[in-house]
Amino acid sequence: MAGLQHQDDPLKMSHGETWKMQHERLHVKHRGHEAMHAEMVLILIATLVVAQIILVQWKQRHCRSYNRVTLLQMWVVPLYFTIKLYWWRFLSTWGMFSIITSYVIFRATRKPLSCRTPRMVYKWFLLIYKLSYAVGVIGYLAIMFTMFGFNMFFRIKAEDSMDVGVIMLFYGLYYGVMGRDFAEICSDYMASTIGYYNMGGMPSKNLSNDVCAVCGQKIFVDVDEEGIIEDTYQLSCNHIFHEFCIRGWCIVGKKQTCPYCNEKVDLKRMMNNPWERTHVLYGQLLDWLRYLVAWQPIIIGVVHGINFSLGLE
């Protein structure tokens, strides 16, 4: 009798017993609903397929508008869930990132463009890129650390170490995606303003051999001249740039063509150090995750709306 009372009283039950009781109630609630569940799964699969086709066609036909809307989605959707779920830590980092990035975008879109702006822009987004990479790797290692049970050696609860790992991995990937997309927008604006790059046609200026097309400054500077003194890099098309500028253009700004002639850039040739090639893979991973971050919540919302309209629970 005492045992039955113990099972019926949630306050006296252990965590495992509570979970087992909730699991049994869930089974009782959904017993006989197999056909409904199968229908919901089919709706989910069909919506995902249709959404994927629409997004691919949109990207192919109107790439610029697709990228802008995707970026807006990535910026706004996490903010909605942050406020709804009271994730103040994320909201504070999101606010700091938004304020600084807004100022950087403001500087990048001014005309005439200051000679120091391109370098400032690429430095900021390169910092975001490196920080996101480091935080993401640490988060991944924390998850692996927990899954292999190493947290027990340091007397850390598995829930705590797993939470830290997941949060850091999310922060790294999210701000990595955001930074690369904003850097791409700034790169387009700055290069078009300087005049040696035109995304849709011919550049408005002819490029001379002693000018970097990314920042518009002289490549070779005399001792008594004002300018940027640094290493240079020559692409396979024979155009020469400041090494920092062309790396910012290709790695941070997501461009894989020469800023002047649009010839394809071999990123593997640019990355002489094997450790640097991981940045290319990381960039490709971030581009793939844009779809999950931006459109997955919208697609799931559409699925819930269809299920609700059809009376599926």
Side-chain angles (χ1 to χ4, degrees):
M1 190 71 178
L4 292 174
Q5 291 177 350
H6 172 72
Q7 289 181 354
D8 293 335
D9 188 357
L11 297 176
K12 297 181 180 179
M13 295 171 63
S14 66
H15 176 73
E17 290 173 337
T18 304
W19 181 87
K20 184 177 180 181
M21 184 180 70
Q22 293 174 347
H23 196 65
E24 289 175 352
R25 287 178 179 175
L26 188 67
H27 272 287
V28 172
K29 180 180 179 181
H30 291 278
R31 187 173 297 154
H33 293 177
E34 290 80 6
M36 182 187 295
H37 294 164
E39 189 176 350
M40 293 171 71
V41 171
L42 289 175
I43 291 173
L44 174 63
I45 294 173
T47 306
L48 288 172
V49 172
V50 172
Q52 185 67 26
I53 293 173
I54 293 174
L55 291 173
V56 168
Q57 290 297 318
W58 183 12
K59 186 177 181 180
Q60 289 177 349
R61 296 172 184 268
H62 306 283
C63 185
R64 193 166 187 175
S65 64
Y66 170 83
N67 289 332
R68 296 293 187 270
V69 175
T70 301
L71 180 57
L72 181 63
Q73 291 276 95
M74 288 190 297
W75 206 3
V76 174
V77 170
L79 178 63
Y80 166 76
F81 287 107
T82 296
I83 297 174
K84 184 178 180 180
L85 300 174
Y86 306 107
W87 291 344
W88 305 122
R89 187 186 307 147
F90 178 81
L91 185 61
S92 61
T93 58
W94 182 92
M96 290 172 55
F97 172 83
S98 298
I99 291 171
I100 299 175
T101 301
S102 297
Y103 172 74
V104 170
I105 294 174
F106 173 80
R107 290 284 303 274
T109 53
R110 294 306 91 195
K111 293 181 180 181
L113 189 70
S114 170
C115 62
R116 299 185 181 276
T117 298
R119 187 160 294 265
M120 181 269 290
V121 170
Y122 286 124
K123 279 185 177 180
W124 166 244
F125 287 116
L126 181 61
L127 174 64
I128 293 297
Y129 182 81
K130 289 183 175 180
L131 284 176
S132 72
Y133 182 75
V135 171
V137 168
I138 293 173
Y140 174 77
L141 292 176
I143 294 173
M144 294 295 103
F145 178 84
T146 306
M147 292 183 66
F148 286 105
F150 293 124
N151 59 296
M152 302 299 294
F153 294 105
F154 299 93
R155 297 183 180 179
I156 302 174
K157 291 183 180 180
E159 294 86 355
D160 295 338
S161 58
M162 184 62 76
D163 285 346
V164 170
V166 171
I167 290 172
M168 293 188 72
L169 183 61
F170 171 76
Y171 275 44
L173 295 176
Y174 175 74
Y175 288 111
V177 171
M178 292 288 288
R180 277 171 63 83
D181 277 15
F182 279 121
E184 183 180 21
I185 293 174
C186 291
S187 298
D188 284 339
Y189 270 106
M190 292 188 301
S192 298
T193 301
I194 291 170
Y196 298 113
Y197 169 78
N198 190 331
M199 187 170 60
M202 294 294 293
S204 58
K205 293 182 181 179
N206 291 323
L207 182 66
S208 59
N209 294 330
D210 62 339
V211 173
C212 173
V214 177
C215 66
Q217 301 300 302
K218 284 189 175 182
I219 294 176
F220 305 107
V221 182
D222 294 334
V223 177
D224 57 344
E225 272 188 303
E226 182 182 354
I228 301 168
I229 302 175
E230 68 169 54
D231 293 337
T232 59
Y233 186 86
Q234 185 175 21
L235 298 179
S236 57
C237 58
N238 295 325
H239 291 125
I240 303 174
F241 306 88
H242 294 122
E243 186 173 12
F244 180 84
C245 293
I246 194 62
R247 282 174 174 268
W249 172 267
C250 294
I251 301 172
V252 182
K254 296 199 303 182
K255 306 294 185 182
Q256 296 186 13
T257 58
C258 172
Y260 183 68
C261 67
N262 288 327
E263 184 174 319
K264 185 77 172 177
V265 173
D266 186 2
L267 292 179
K268 292 182 179 179
R269 178 173 168 265
M270 185 181 293
M271 305 294 180
N272 294 324
N273 187 340
W275 292 104
E276 287 184 327
R277 295 183 182 180
T278 58
H279 291 294
V280 178
L281 298 176
Y282 180 63
Q284 293 171 349
L285 173 64
L286 293 178
D287 291 340
W288 179 77
L289 285 172
R290 293 170 78 248
Y291 169 78
L292 295 178
V293 175
W295 295 106
Q296 206 66 12
I298 304 300
I299 294 172
I300 297 301
V302 171
V303 171
H304 280 300
I306 295 173
N307 290 337
F308 179 78
S309 63
L310 296 177
L312 302 175
E313 185 180 347

